[in-house]
Amino acid sequence: MNHRHLDPADGIDGPDPSAMREQYRTAPLLEADLADDPMNQFDRWFTQAVRTDLHEPNAMIVSTADADGRPSSRTVLLKAYGVRGFTFYTNYTSRKGQEIGANPAVSLLFPWHPLFRQVIVTGRAERVGRDETAAYFRSRPHGSQLGAWASAQSSVIGSREELERAYEELAARYPEGKQVPVPPHWGGFLVVPETVEFWQGRENRLHDRLRYVDKGGEWTIERLSP
């Protein structure tokens, strides 16, 4: 194993990331291969990712920024997609929920590394309707419904025991089989895309990057230099 040998004051002597590399040998991604709109193209790639048995292919990195432009990122699970865009669910009082409230511009990244593919979305997030939120909430496992109440997401807590105690109290109040109410502070965000980039890793780092751009309701396709 290669190690970085840094100044002793740094106190780090770990694996050397500069020596880590892989050559991508994949088929080209051509403009003629793309669907007319990004959501249909996403459906093609997402279907392929699912059929390849990738672990959680619906996992995506959601990046937001606060009112001052300071960014933050986290991994969230995509729960719906269609002609309107991409939907995920969260606690509205969480860091991402509050940042979206102050600045609705977001980015999504689907990192399908085993396929040497990425999908990068930029757009604006808006809350989904309460009926849509309620329908999804009731489809979740009972424990996940309780977890949405037990966790004041992103807030500082004193201990793991504090969180588990809150969960146990909710489990006693709403045992399996009893309907759990939908938390008023919890719901969905729909990300309406403005650009959607399909990234295919290629040999010698000459990757294919094709980006859909919304030009007043019409999608145009641009090729980006890698």
Side-chain angles (χ1 to χ4, degrees), residues 156-199:
V156 176
I157 58 175
S159 66
R160 173 76 188 188
E161 288 72 24
E162 181 181 323
L163 178 64
E164 292 178 347
R165 186 165 54 250
Y167 181 89
E168 290 167 0
E169 291 172 355
L170 286 159
R173 189 184 316 167
Y174 301 106
E176 191 80 44
K178 185 174 183 179
Q179 182 168 293
V180 180
V182 182
H185 57 269
W186 188 95
F189 279 114
L190 170 70
V191 178
V192 180
E194 297 171 350
T195 71
V196 185
E197 178 186 331
F198 293 86
W199 183 101

Side-chain angles (χ1 to χ4, degrees), residues 139-151:
S139 75
R140 305 180 88 205
H142 181 72
S144 297
Q145 294 182 25
L146 297 178
W149 280 102
S151 171

Side-chain angles (χ1 to χ4, degrees), residues 20-39:
M20 299 176 184
R21 58 180 55 85
E22 184 168 350
Q23 186 70 277
Y24 303 147
R25 294 183 173 90
T26 61
L29 178 64
L30 304 176
E31 287 82 348
D33 298 329
L34 296 181
D36 291 337
D37 67 85
M39 298 312 298

Side-chain angles (χ1 to χ4, degrees), residues 95-210:
R95 179 173 180 176
K96 60 182 169 297
Q98 293 187 55
E99 289 185 350
I100 289 172
N103 178 2
V106 303
S107 174
L108 311 177
L109 169 62
F110 294 86
W112 295 328
H113 301 307
L115 298 178
F116 310 128
R117 285 178 172 176
Q118 301 180 79
V119 179
I120 305 103
V121 179
T122 64
R124 301 182 70 80
E126 58 188 47
R127 293 191 183 191
V128 307
R130 292 309 292 173
D131 289 346
E132 188 175 342
T133 284
Y136 171 69
F137 184 81
R138 295 191 178 109
S139 75
R140 305 180 88 205
H142 181 72
S144 297
Q145 294 182 25
L146 297 178
W149 280 102
S151 171
Q153 194 176 72
S154 300
S155 65
V156 176
I157 58 175
S159 66
R160 173 76 188 188
E161 288 72 24
E162 181 181 323
L163 178 64
E164 292 178 347
R165 186 165 54 250
Y167 181 89
E168 290 167 0
E169 291 172 355
L170 286 159
R173 189 184 316 167
Y174 301 106
E176 191 80 44
K178 185 174 183 179
Q179 182 168 293
V180 180
V182 182
H185 57 269
W186 188 95
F189 279 114
L190 170 70
V191 178
V192 180
E194 297 171 350
T195 71
V196 185
E197 178 186 331
F198 293 86
W199 183 101
Q200 178 71 66
R202 297 294 307 281
E203 195 168 1
N204 300 319
R205 297 298 185 262
L206 299 178
H207 313 307
D208 285 323
R209 300 177 59 191
L210 297 180

